[in-house]
Amino acid sequence: MIAVIFGRSGCPYCVRAKELAAKLTSDQDSFNYQYVDIQATGITKADLEARAGKPVTTVPQIFIDDRHIGGYTEFAAWTKENLGIEA
């Protein structure tokens, strides 16, 4: 499975999401992630909303296998529920 994390520089929750994803990548053979800096790539809030299929107000926005998970808090809950790993 692959997680795609859309974030921006200077965002503490984006940093936490990347750290958690890196931990999962090292602990789980089947997990990998990609980080996308929305400012560097020109991705807009409207682009994220279109991809998520609903309004988004914050970053990071995280997708696992193209399924929208949410922000960092939802990602941490997802990892605990689905992989048994605490953030």
Side-chain angles (χ1 to χ4, degrees), residues 16-86:
R16 291 173 73 184
K18 285 194 301 186
E19 289 172 350
L20 177 55
K23 179 181 190 300
L24 293 172
T25 298
S26 68
D27 292 350
Q28 304 280 318
D29 290 335
S30 63
F31 191 91
N32 206 341
Y33 80 99
Q34 174 187 4
Y35 179 77
V36 179
D37 185 315
I38 63 170
Q39 292 170 323
T41 57
I43 295 173
T44 66
K45 179 181 170 189
D47 295 333
L48 286 176
E49 289 177 342
R51 183 166 179 160
K54 62 183 178 182
V56 298
T57 57
T58 61
V59 288
Q61 290 298 314
I62 302 164
F63 297 79
I64 297 179
D65 292 335
D66 290 324
R67 185 175 140 246
H68 185 240
I69 300 299
Y72 170 77
T73 303
E74 292 82 9
F75 182 42
W78 184 92
T79 60
K80 182 178 179 183
E81 180 180 322
N82 293 280
L83 302 175
I85 297 174
E86 302 254 352

